[in-house]
Amino acid sequence: MLEGATTAPSQVSPAEVSHRYRRRSRAREIATAYALLTPTLLLLSLVLAYPLAWEVWISLTNFSPLNDGPTAFVGVANYRHLLSTEEFWRSATVTVVYAVVTSAAKLALGIGFALLLARPFRGRALVFLAIFLPWAYPASVSVIGWYWTLSPPIPTAYSVFMGTMKYAVDGAFGGGAWAFLSVTLFNIWRGSSFIGVLLLAGINAIPPELFEYALLESKSPWRRFQAVTLPLLAQFLALGVFLSLTSAFADLANVWMLTAGRIVFPVIGTQAYWLAIHGGQFGPASALSLMLVPFLLGALVVLFRLFDAPEQETP
């Protein structure tokens, strides 16, 4: 046999074998997850597909009960008209500010509540009940109580004080500032309760050994929180922020009830309501509602990309 006539088979390094195994294992995990989610996704598609498709179609027409003639297809004219109006940009600005402020406050308070309840102490059950109650209590009842607290219906010294506060806030920041503040405080009060319970569940899912190892590595609670708690709570934080943004952008009922039907500052939800119910412009109202969808989908993708748990490397 001539020298060099054959070549030795290529050798695969152990690192490459390990990398291929991890990729196949990850692919199997993803396939299993999608298989388990398929029934729920099908149910949601059946429940949501028709209303969403109908709203998309209405947004492309001039559908209105005030029209004398038949409904006509107008394409993206409703979207172009909304983007050219000052009312849309004002409501969009107020909605973004409202969503960012409430989400940041709810996240900060939720983390604090979760860390407080993660440790056993005397009276922990009562504290947990006090934190959990705002979210568990029916919103329709709690929002009325909140409204009466900020706008007392019975003339008393307290109602005079709250009336003075309202005029002071509106005088300093403009008309509607007090209503905006009351809706913001209610959203934070109710939403931080839910996020706190959600993050507490995430903390309880972390193995206690990790906290013990972190205690040996550092005596600083802040460094242990940064190194262990925060990374392992990333997916819970992403879910909490997304739900907070969603509730803020779609917050029509709370705004309506806390202002007693007097919408003195516009958000996307209230502007769509006025366009459809009071103005009879169902086409522009549907288009306005659908303009939130790309933002929420983008926020969902960014949050779960940003907070996605890092893949653990096997030795």
Side-chain angles (χ1 to χ4, degrees), residues 48-245:
L48 299 177
Y50 174 76
L52 182 60
W54 175 255
E55 188 170 11
V56 171
W57 166 250
I58 293 299
S59 70
L60 301 176
T61 66
N62 65 344
F63 176 75
S64 173
L66 304 179
N67 292 339
D68 295 330
T71 301
F73 179 80
V74 297
V76 295
N78 291 325
Y79 295 91
R80 288 201 303 264
H81 173 70
L82 287 172
L83 292 174
S84 63
T85 59
E86 182 181 353
E87 291 80 6
F88 167 76
W89 292 108
R90 180 167 177 256
S91 64
T93 302
V94 173
T95 305
V96 170
V97 172
Y98 173 64
V100 171
V101 170
T102 55
S103 298
K106 285 186 287 187
L107 190 63
L109 290 175
I111 292 175
F113 292 156
L115 294 176
L116 173 65
L117 295 174
R119 295 182 176 183
F121 57 89
R122 186 182 299 273
R124 179 175 178 269
L126 294 177
V127 176
F128 178 83
L129 179 62
I131 293 175
F132 183 69
L133 191 60
W135 178 73
Y137 208 69
S140 58
V141 178
S142 59
V143 72
I144 294 176
W146 193 269
Y147 172 74
W148 284 351
T149 300
L150 297 177
S151 302
I154 301 176
T156 59
Y158 175 74
S159 63
V160 173
F161 171 76
M162 296 305 296
T164 305
M165 290 287 295
K166 176 183 181 301
Y167 285 115
V169 173
D170 286 343
F173 300 99
W178 179 257
F180 181 81
L181 178 63
S182 63
V183 174
T184 301
L185 291 177
F186 177 80
N187 189 287
I188 294 172
W189 172 74
R190 183 171 171 81
S192 60
S193 171
F194 169 75
I195 293 181
V197 175
L198 176 67
L199 297 182
L200 177 62
I203 292 177
N204 290 335
I206 300 175
E209 296 81 7
L210 296 180
F211 294 111
E212 296 174 1
Y213 296 152
L215 185 61
L216 295 176
E217 293 291 335
S218 175
K219 298 298 182 182
S220 172
W222 174 245
R223 289 183 62 86
R224 295 198 301 270
F225 173 76
Q226 284 183 309
V228 177
T229 308
L230 191 60
L232 295 177
L233 281 180
Q235 293 178 326
F236 292 89
L237 291 171
L239 179 61
V241 172
F242 178 74
L243 294 177
S244 176
L245 291 175

